Amino acid sequence: MIAEFTERYRRAVNDPDLRPRLLAFQRSWRESRDAQVALLEQRTERSFDELRRDFAEVKDATLDRIDDYIAEFRANAEAAGATVVELTTAEEAVEYIAGVCKARGIDLVVKSKSMVSEEIELNDELAERGITAIETDLGEWLLQLAEQRPSHLVMPAIHQKRQYVAEILGEELGREFDPDDIPAMVASAREGLRRHYLAAGTGLTGANALVAETGSIMVVTNEGNMRLATSLPDVHFVTAGIEKLIPTWADAERQLQLLPRSATAQTLSTYTTCITGAQPGKEMHIILLDNGRREMRLDDTIGAALRCIRCGACANVCPPYQVVGGHTFGHIYTGAIGLVNTAFHHDVEAAAGPQGLCVSCGACETVCPVAIPLPRQILQIRRRTTESGHAPRWERWLLRAWSAPQLFRAAMKLGAVASTLARAVGLVRRDHIRLPLPRRLNWRSIPAIPSQTGSDLIDNRQPQPTLESTPASGTTVDLFAQCLANRLMPDTVDASARLIEAGGANVNVPPNQHCCGLPAFDAGDWETARRMARAAIDALSRADHRIVTPATSCVISMRDHWPQLFRDEPQTLSRANAVADRVHDLAAWLDGPGRLPDGCLEQEESGSWTAHRFCQSSNRGEPGARIDLLVERLTGETSLPLEEAEVCCGFGGLTSIAAPEVGEGIIERKLECIMASGCETLLTNNPGCALHLRAGAVARGASHNTQHYADFLASRLPDDPPS
């Protein structure tokens, strides 16, 4: 049985060894994978995006005619001596396998790695029927001995340390092992498994691809156990989802270009085994399982998840996965793909818990070898879990309070009064309140709330003098201040206005603006998100001005989320699109319509800086994401290099509240990179990032200053610009 999500989460965050092991793995994999992809691009003279798009088209076209390809595969496989059965549910698959075993008098099954067998919980189900299943993949066998589930699609035991492996093997084989003598442990495991191969009546494998034109299966592994499991026993079962079908061997070659490089950062896996039909005198049963897959295909957004080739790359770049591992960041299927398909293969409740761990950074989509839009799909599943009543009650109440501007502003005013009192009694340091917090929260500090908003500051000063004429000179720009920035970072809002004015445009702050709806949308509460988005659309539709905001996340929300929210409301959708078409990220504005000239801002004689780039905009290739290049262009100063500059900081909206240990683990990784850079100032381009990184740095006692790049640039505007 799979433990409840809260139990799995607690176990993961209390494991002191898990984070460093997974971090070392992720960094090593990324370096090797990127090198392999570069070599592939060089050899094929095509980009990774082109290659994955081609294979994605193959998968989509196959799924569009899935019944035709099932029929073709069945005809060719059966002509070669195999038996092919198409089954609808996990229960049917279990009953079929158990029935064949009972009819043949088989009570021992040796298994090579098969995620579908995990999906249908085959081992436990067979055990209840008196049939023993033995895993022969080394990692899977170790987990079976430890009574655990795989924590990764490709490397199932990646969460285990060698000391624990030595202990488990010692108990099973009756001898002691040196944890540092890995070859000895592997050799002993090989000996321990051999007796099962010789005694088993059937072997079971998965399939990485089912080739319709010949009725063949293709299996990609790094261990030779699969070949023993298929050649020694008299009966061979293949368990595969119907989405594993591809038309031709040419398509299989395309898959082999992408799969090993994405899974284990290899040019080619050690073994690529292709089997067509049963061996003479033996049986081969190929089980094509639906188990929710056809339902997935009917969903416009979710259907692309069926392209998945089970490489695990989405987990290998996922910051929350690095903190809690696959047992928590998933159900049976782990990583970002697990957040999507669990709702269909199992149920919405099984998918609900891990949803709150995703920080929506978008890294998973950048490495997916079949271009699955995982971030968008996860948000759709999160919506389903919320609408089915699985969202935390505190989250629903918080979002409803957030969506009420008057209540939000009243709460902020009370916070400002409390912050003023805290300053008076000496509890504020570096604009953060020093209060004892519970252990789960003490890795960050509480920002003191200023007494004025950003719009107040703009209203109470004279316009910034123009530096130089730009294409935007003489026009009026509406500034979308953003809810967090306007109240918690008013200087950033004012700095944004000053930079726009320096390019010759007039700045107007539309009244009654509040929030674009992003927090509620990300949380899956689309009803609240619609209410907030409508209010933002009303506030920004009163003029036909260009709209600029210092919050990159809001630009993404308006352009991507609003069309989803209002797809069934044509009139509102038209108004939403009209607003979104006029929205600019501040950095893109300063490099575009309001372009300030190169070197126009004053240099500082001292003060090194580096830049954390907002993960969503970086992973999407958004204009203006490279704020380091913008700052270098305007100031003539050079940024210090920052390792993992585009890896998420861990804010993730409500994730850092619902799962603070995840926020802590990710920000620790980020702060280590920042401090290693030796910078005096860290720049970033989204208010949420700035608040999160500043709160973590202050709590940790880091010496660097954290700023939104708008503050940094505005501080260098000349006092007396040229006339």
Side-chain angles (χ1 to χ4, degrees):
M1 295 294 293
I2 299 174
E4 292 291 327
F5 169 74
T6 51
E7 180 183 340
R8 303 193 321 259
Y9 179 79
R10 281 285 139 231
R11 191 182 302 152
V13 298
N14 289 324
D15 182 346
D17 298 317
L18 186 63
R19 293 184 196 177
R21 285 202 307 276
L22 291 180
L23 178 56
F25 158 70
Q26 283 194 343
R27 286 174 168 166
S28 174
W29 176 88
R30 187 63 197 250
E31 182 178 356
S32 300
R33 176 265 180 197
D34 289 352
Q36 284 289 346
V37 167
L39 290 173
L40 176 64
E41 292 178 327
Q42 182 180 5
R43 182 175 67 81
T44 60
E45 297 183 345
R46 304 189 68 201
S47 71
F48 175 71
D49 283 340
E50 290 173 325
L51 293 168
R52 68 175 181 166
R53 189 165 56 244
D54 281 356
F55 190 58
E57 290 174 358
V58 169
K59 296 288 286 185
D60 286 345
T62 307
L63 290 164
D64 287 342
R65 295 178 49 211
I66 191 65
D67 290 322
D68 293 340
Y69 286 111
I70 288 175
E72 181 182 356
F73 178 84
R74 181 195 297 273
N76 290 324
E78 291 182 343
T83 299
V84 180
V85 292
E86 185 182 357
L87 302 176
T88 302
T89 67
E91 292 77 13
E92 290 174 358
V94 170
E95 290 301 331
Y96 181 86
I97 294 169
V100 172
C101 288
K102 290 290 186 182
R104 308 295 188 274
I106 295 169
D107 60 6
L108 178 62
V109 180
V110 285
K111 294 177 59 193
S112 180
K113 192 170 187 299
S114 163
M115 281 308 301
V116 166
S117 74
E118 295 286 348
E119 176 185 326
I120 64 178
E121 302 187 65
L122 181 63
N123 291 7
D124 292 341
E125 294 292 340
L126 289 180
E128 291 182 4
R129 293 162 173 80
I131 302 169
T132 300
I134 300 294
E135 300 288 352
T136 64
D137 176 276
L138 179 56
E140 292 274 3
W141 186 50
L142 292 171
L143 294 179
Q144 186 177 32
L145 296 177
E147 298 182 347
Q148 294 183 9
R149 298 268 181 186
S151 66
H152 191 281
L153 295 179
V154 176
M155 293 156 278
I158 193 171
H159 61 289
Q160 290 293 12
K161 56 185 179 180
R162 61 186 183 276
Q163 290 83 359
Y164 186 70
V165 171
E167 180 183 335
I168 291 295
L169 277 179
E171 292 177 3
E172 173 67 14
L173 302 177
R175 52 172 288 196
E176 290 188 5
F177 289 95
D178 178 356
D180 295 321
D181 193 351
I182 295 175
M185 287 193 282
V186 172
S188 296
R190 187 180 297 118
E191 294 172 7
L193 285 168
R194 190 161 295 157
R195 69 182 189 276
H196 298 303
Y197 289 118
L198 297 173
T202 184
L204 185 144
T205 71
N208 293 97
L210 305 168
V211 185
E213 72 175 349
T214 57
S216 307
I217 72 165
M218 181 177 76
V219 185
V220 180
T221 66
N222 275 317
E223 299 180 29
N225 59 319
M226 180 266 175
R227 293 182 174 181
L228 284 172
T230 58
S231 59
L232 289 178
D234 289 336
V235 179
H236 173 202
F237 288 107
V238 179
T239 54
I242 56 175
E243 80 281 6
K244 293 298 180 66
L245 279 158
I246 54 175
T248 69
W249 282 106
D251 300 321
E253 182 182 1
R254 290 189 180 94
Q255 182 167 339
L256 287 174
Q257 284 185 321
L258 297 165
L259 175 57
R261 291 173 170 88
S262 298
T264 51
Q266 295 170 276
T267 303
L268 195 65
S269 295
T270 307
Y271 299 95
T272 299
T273 305
C274 305
I275 301 175
T276 305
Q279 299 178 61
K282 297 188 177 184
E283 300 177 41
M284 182 182 192
H285 297 259
I286 303 173
I287 298 166
L288 305 181
L289 183 63
D290 179 352
N291 198 31
R293 288 164 171 82
R294 290 181 184 273
E295 182 187 354
M296 289 175 69
R297 188 59 186 165
L298 294 175
D299 190 296
D300 291 344
T301 302
I302 303 298
L306 292 172
R307 299 174 189 162
C308 179
I309 57 175
R310 302 293 189 260
C311 67
C314 57
N316 299 349
V317 294
C318 175
Y321 181 96
Q322 179 260 314
V323 177
V324 297
H327 288 143
T328 309
F329 202 87
H331 180 64
I332 287 175
Y333 288 101
T334 65
I337 190 66
L339 297 187
V340 177
N341 59 17
T342 295
F344 293 87
H345 298 335
H346 303 282
D347 53 44
V348 171
E349 185 175 3
Q355 294 297 322
L357 301 178
C358 175
V359 291
S360 299
C361 70
C364 50
E365 186 174 3
T366 67
V367 297
C368 176
V370 282
I372 301 172
L374 286 162
R376 184 173 180 179
Q377 292 177 345
I378 291 168
L379 291 172
Q380 287 281 353
I381 300 300
R382 194 175 288 177
R383 174 194 181 190
R384 292 186 182 208
T385 62
T386 298
E387 291 179 350
S388 60
H390 294 293
R393 186 173 298 175
W394 68 264
E395 188 176 282
R396 295 197 299 270
W397 283 109
L398 175 62
L399 290 170
R400 276 154 179 72
W402 195 304
S403 68
Q406 291 181 336
L407 185 58
F408 178 85
R409 289 165 189 152
M412 289 293 106
K413 286 181 180 178
L414 285 175
V417 171
S419 298
T420 300
L421 293 174
R423 282 191 176 90
V425 296
L427 291 178
V428 174
R429 175 178 170 267
R430 294 175 64 181
D431 290 326
H432 281 69
I433 302 173
R434 300 170 61 189
L435 288 175
L437 295 173
R439 167 64 191 89
R440 297 186 70 197
L441 303 174
N442 67 5
W443 53 270
R444 60 184 166 201
S445 53
I446 303 171
I449 300 176
S451 58
Q452 288 187 299
T453 66
S455 51
D456 291 337
L457 296 179
I458 296 171
D459 289 341
N460 295 330
R461 66 161 173 80
Q462 294 296 314
Q464 170 73 36
T466 299
L467 281 180
E468 187 169 316
S469 178
T470 72
S473 294
T475 64
T476 297
V477 168
D478 282 348
L479 182 64
F480 186 68
Q482 201 244 19
C483 48
L484 281 178
N486 195 40
R487 210 58 195 81
L488 298 178
M489 299 170 58
D491 289 338
T492 300
V493 175
D494 183 48
S496 301
R498 292 176 60 206
L499 290 167
I500 296 167
E501 291 167 346
N506 301 310
V507 171
N508 172 58
V509 183
N512 301 320
Q513 62 168 285
H514 175 44
C515 180
C516 65
L518 173 60
F521 184 91
D522 268 0
D525 186 351
W526 285 24
E527 178 185 349
T528 301
R530 286 191 189 95
R531 186 163 62 252
M532 300 169 83
R534 286 191 190 99
I537 293 166
D538 288 343
L540 297 172
S541 295
R542 292 172 183 161
D544 197 27
H545 304 148
R546 302 282 187 94
I547 304 164
V548 180
T549 179
T552 310
S553 56
C554 293
V555 177
I556 295 173
S557 179
M558 293 175 187
R559 292 178 179 170
D560 282 12
H561 301 166
W562 285 2
Q564 297 176 63
L565 286 173
F566 301 117
R567 62 182 300 178
D568 297 324
E569 301 178 29
Q571 188 172 1
T572 308
L573 178 60
S574 177
R575 297 181 67 224
N577 288 338
V579 171
D581 287 344
R582 294 186 281 118
V583 171
H584 298 260
D585 169 58
L586 175 65
W589 176 264
L590 296 176
D591 261 339
R595 183 180 178 88
L596 294 176
D598 295 359
C600 66
L601 302 183
E602 297 177 348
Q603 292 190 22
E604 296 283 338
E605 292 185 2
S606 62
S608 57
W609 59 273
T610 192
H612 160 71
R613 302 190 287 273
F614 177 48
C615 53
Q616 281 189 32
S617 58
S618 294
N619 289 327
R620 293 161 51 97
E622 287 286 323
R626 290 298 304 267
I627 57 167
D628 52 331
L629 299 182
L630 171 68
V631 176
E632 287 181 348
R633 181 179 71 78
L634 294 178
T635 65
E637 301 171 8
T638 302
S639 170
L640 291 175
L642 176 64
E643 292 294 323
E644 300 185 338
E646 295 171 356
V647 171
C648 180
C649 68
F651 175 56
L654 295 181
T655 297
S656 57
I657 300 175
E661 293 86 356
V662 171
E664 177 186 18
I666 299 173
I667 200 173
E668 279 184 359
R669 171 181 183 174
K670 176 61 66 172
L671 288 175
E672 285 172 6
C673 291
I674 293 166
M675 289 188 285
S677 75
C679 72
E680 295 176 57
T681 300
L682 171 71
L683 304 182
T684 187
N685 55 331
N686 204 55
C689 298
L691 289 166
H692 184 68
L693 287 165
R694 189 181 298 155
V698 170
R700 188 165 175 167
S703 60
H704 67 267
N705 180 37
T706 304
Q707 285 187 302
H708 191 283
Y709 72 95
D711 298 293
F712 188 79
L713 293 177
S715 69
R716 284 159 168 72
L717 286 168
D719 294 330
D720 298 309
S723 57

